[in-house]
Amino acid sequence: MERLEQTNQPTILQNKAIIWGLILTITLIWGYAWVLMKQSLNYMGPFTFSSFRFGTGALTLLIVVWIIRLGLPPKRYIKHLILIGLLQTTIVFTLVMFALMFVDAGKSSVLLYSMPLWSSLLAVKFLGEHLTRWKIAGLLSGMIGLLTILGWDIWLGQSLEVIVGEILIIISAVSWAVANIYYRLNVSHLPKIQSSAFQMLFGVLGIFIATLIMESGQPIDVNSVSLYYILFTGVLASALCFTVWYIIMNTVDMVTATISTLLVPMFGLILSSLLLNEQLTIGVTTGSALILLGIVLSQITFKSS
């Protein structure tokens, strides 16, 4: 895979305009996917949709792995990929999709993408990274942002279901962060596409089990619209975009890549407001801005640090 990426880079990915065009396209697709995830609940249960989405995504990624001849990961990595799959796919997207029944799509995207804040905090403990004053400022800004969103809903007398849903999404963000740290410690030597394909495969098995337990026998409305939601989020947003994203990450630094992901909740908020008529309250707007600011501060390294 590395030879393939190195061969393509001089002709395709050395042009900054092309790179940023791809980044904007991918993050826009990921932001739009939140709208479709929310709308999919009109046609099937949250776990059922996740089963279809990540089953399709895993199959597509496995085909990519087969095409570029990566093969199966070494046996010593299997247990690690199973755990990452449970943390990053099963837990995150069962909780997120369940929470989307009560929480707006735009707000959900912001809460889930607080993940870099939790990753920064965990990296200090488990990766030995230094907690600079900028990271401390970023963590404080992000935490205040989370409390602003949650607190604003409490002050407005929001329903208990919404508050619980928001907490579940924050738990999902923490689970995603734990998966990232665990990946760095145990699986970082594997090609990213290979590890993503197999963690998604193991993760979707967990989602299948949750679907059988929670939604067995529930009606599923499969039509052109719901099929579009599944294929868009599964093939395009989950598999193909991740494949291109991993190649892009080999051409840009990690700070740029991480900051670029901030476009996802921004697009999620904007598109959810335009397409789902979700209201951007003062609490959501202020809290989102504080979280985004916190992620920027916690990820950028200043020489004076």
Side-chain angles (χ1 to χ4, degrees):
M1 182 188 71
E2 292 178 355
R3 289 196 298 270
L4 175 65
E5 291 167 356
Q6 290 171 358
T7 301
N8 290 338
Q9 284 176 18
T11 57
I12 298 176
L13 293 179
Q14 284 187 346
N15 188 312
K16 289 185 178 180
I18 293 177
I19 292 175
W20 278 103
L22 288 172
I23 288 175
L24 286 172
T25 300
I26 290 170
T27 52
L28 178 60
I29 289 171
W30 283 341
Y32 175 56
W34 282 92
V35 174
L36 303 189
M37 288 161 60
K38 181 75 171 181
Q39 291 180 316
S40 71
L41 299 175
N42 295 321
Y43 300 93
M44 62 193 72
F47 302 151
T48 301
F49 175 77
S50 294
S51 293
F52 281 129
R53 172 188 177 180
F54 289 102
T56 304
L59 178 61
T60 305
L61 277 178
L62 289 171
I63 292 173
V64 173
V65 168
W66 176 72
I67 290 173
I68 61 180
R69 299 180 180 180
L70 282 176
L72 296 173
K75 289 184 178 179
R76 66 180 182 275
Y77 288 110
I78 297 298
K79 62 181 180 181
H80 300 307
L81 290 171
I82 291 174
L83 184 55
I84 292 172
L86 291 174
L87 289 169
Q88 186 170 321
T89 299
T90 305
I91 293 177
V92 171
F93 286 97
T94 51
L95 294 183
V96 165
M97 285 303 300
F98 179 79
L100 273 173
M101 293 193 296
F102 316 109
V103 185
D104 287 348
K107 187 192 299 183
S108 299
S109 67
V110 172
L111 293 176
L112 183 63
Y113 274 83
S114 67
M115 175 274 297
L117 299 174
W118 306 107
S119 292
S120 297
L121 194 59
L122 291 170
V124 175
K125 173 68 175 178
F126 296 101
L127 300 180
E129 294 188 4
H130 182 53
L131 192 61
T132 66
R133 64 178 180 272
W134 294 108
K135 287 191 175 183
I136 293 174
L139 289 169
L140 288 175
S141 178
M143 297 305 172
I144 293 172
L146 291 174
L147 291 175
T148 299
I149 292 176
L150 295 175
W152 191 265
D153 283 348
I154 293 172
W155 298 333
L156 291 178
Q158 192 63 264
S159 69
L160 180 61
E161 290 178 337
V162 172
I163 303 298
V164 171
E166 292 170 349
I167 293 173
L168 289 177
I169 296 172
I170 294 173
I171 293 172
S172 299
V174 174
S175 181
W176 187 5
V178 172
N180 288 343
I181 300 299
Y182 191 85
Y183 172 89
R184 287 276 298 275
L185 290 173
N186 298 285
V187 192
S188 58
H189 296 298
L190 284 179
K192 290 185 176 68
I193 294 178
Q194 186 185 48
S195 60
S196 181
F198 283 93
Q199 74 81 12
M200 191 177 293
L201 173 64
F202 295 130
V204 78
L205 293 177
I207 296 176
F208 284 155
I209 294 172
T211 302
L212 290 174
I213 294 173
M214 303 297 295
E215 296 177 358
S216 180
Q218 291 190 13
I220 303 174
D221 186 1
V222 178
N223 53 43
S224 59
V225 177
S226 60
L227 190 61
Y228 164 69
Y229 294 164
I230 293 169
L231 292 178
F232 187 98
T233 57
V235 177
L236 189 58
S238 296
L240 296 183
C241 279
F242 272 114
T243 300
V244 177
W245 183 257
Y246 290 143
I247 296 173
I248 289 174
M249 284 201 299
N250 286 330
T251 69
V252 300
D253 60 272
M254 284 305 297
V255 170
T256 300
T258 302
I259 299 304
S260 298
T261 61
L262 297 182
L263 294 170
V264 178
M266 290 178 62
F267 284 137
L269 280 171
I270 294 170
L271 292 173
S272 297
S273 176
L274 293 175
L275 300 177
L276 301 178
N277 296 318
E278 293 181 356
Q279 185 179 4
L280 293 179
T281 64
I282 296 176
V284 171
T285 305
T286 304
S288 299
L290 287 170
I291 291 172
L292 298 180
L293 173 63
I295 295 172
V296 171
L297 292 176
S298 66
Q299 294 298 315
I300 294 180
T301 302
F302 294 89
K303 293 182 180 179
S304 59
S305 300

